Amino acid sequence: MEDKLILLVEDNPHIMAINDAALHMRGYCTLQAETAHKCRELLCFHAVDLIVLDILLPDGDGVALCREIKQEYDVPILFLTAMGENEDIVKGLTAGGDDYLTKPYDLEVFMARVEARLRAAHPKERAVRLGPLQMNLLSGRAYIGETDLNLTQKEFAALLYLARHPNRSVSAQELYEAVWQQPMGADPHAVRMTISRLKQKLGGEDARVTVNSYRSSGYRLEEQ
């Protein structure tokens, strides 16, 4: 079976552990997020095949998060929540949810719903390439040829955002808000420092692919 990556967004550690173990037994790979913020962060640098999403999260509403995700990503969402009134189900599906399962639930039914959503989904992008640069979206690692660049999560997310916008410059504010998920005023120097480290890891002056800075417009990932 081709590796499938499933993002579990759940603040109950017991339910998280049960679902995670069941998915691994079926051969799936998983990511775990206990909060909406962590979910957004993981989506920045992983191409997931399915999101299992709770509604009552410590830092936000799962329905609003679903609507936000659907505006940015083409990924199916299975709600798994204790909110089981008809009004709740309608809200979840109207927000873009692809399926809805209420707690308590049968684990076999859960697995059947997961597998049905995965069968119906479009194949996901697994890698991004630009010249010798290869970015593996399952592992969150980037390579020049066979050399691992050893990027941090933020460095990988920034490089991935630039790689996905190859034909235009990306402003510092746009890059910050995409990677850090907050207004740039919180840390105005973070983008410049991250870009500086990326340039070094890509090979410095001898790099075949690098991030070029344009004073009037921002940053662009380009082959040299």
Side-chain angles (χ1 to χ4, degrees):
M1 178 182 65
E2 181 187 359
D3 286 342
K4 297 290 186 180
L5 184 60
I6 299 173
L7 173 56
L8 302 174
V9 187
E10 171 64 62
D11 67 331
N12 184 312
H14 178 64
I15 293 175
M16 178 77 86
I18 290 174
N19 291 344
D20 186 72
L23 290 165
H24 278 277
M25 286 184 65
R26 297 286 181 94
Y28 298 113
C29 301
T30 62
L31 297 169
Q32 298 185 7
E34 299 80 18
T35 64
H37 178 78
K38 183 64 175 179
C39 172
R40 295 185 188 99
E41 186 178 73
L42 289 172
L43 287 173
C44 281
F45 57 93
H46 288 285
V48 303
D49 296 283
L50 175 69
I51 299 172
V52 179
L53 178 61
D54 194 6
I55 289 180
L56 300 175
L57 297 171
D59 60 343
D61 170 47
V63 173
L65 179 59
C66 171
R67 191 176 293 112
E68 176 186 328
I69 291 170
K70 287 291 188 173
Q71 291 176 348
E72 296 290 332
Y73 303 96
D74 178 20
V75 57
I77 294 177
L78 165 61
F79 280 108
L80 181 63
T81 174
M83 300 183 67
E85 298 294 329
N86 288 342
E87 180 181 357
D88 299 320
I89 297 171
V90 170
K91 284 182 179 178
L93 296 177
T94 302
D98 298 275
D99 203 349
Y100 200 106
L101 185 61
T102 57
K103 305 171 184 175
Y105 59 98
D106 181 271
L107 195 56
E108 287 301 314
V109 173
F110 168 71
M111 291 303 306
R113 296 284 185 93
V114 165
E115 290 168 358
R117 286 295 106 205
L118 290 173
R119 286 196 302 271
H122 300 296
K124 289 297 166 190
E125 179 184 34
R126 297 296 180 188
V128 172
R129 295 179 175 85
L130 179 64
L133 173 66
Q134 299 183 56
M135 304 188 71
N136 186 313
L137 303 187
L138 284 177
S139 66
R141 306 192 76 84
Y143 303 84
I144 294 290
E146 297 183 358
T147 302
D148 190 337
L149 298 180
N150 293 314
L151 302 182
T152 66
Q153 290 186 354
K154 290 291 191 265
E155 290 166 357
F156 185 91
L159 187 62
L160 179 60
Y161 192 84
L162 292 171
R164 283 176 163 165
H165 300 82
N167 298 317
R168 66 176 179 88
S169 296
V170 175
S171 70
Q173 180 175 343
E174 178 184 348
L175 188 60
Y176 188 91
E177 291 178 356
V179 173
W180 278 264
Q181 299 289 317
Q182 59 184 343
M184 191 173 70
D187 189 359
H189 304 297
V191 171
R192 186 172 67 251
M193 294 172 62
T194 299
I195 294 297
S196 177
R197 291 194 300 269
L198 279 175
K199 288 181 177 181
Q200 292 178 347
K201 292 183 177 183
L202 286 166
E205 294 182 358
D206 298 323
R208 296 163 61 192
V209 176
T210 194
V211 180
N212 289 316
S213 303
Y214 296 90
R215 181 172 298 180
S216 61
S217 56
Y219 304 101
R220 184 179 296 189
L221 183 66
E222 296 174 313
E223 289 189 77
Q224 298 294 86

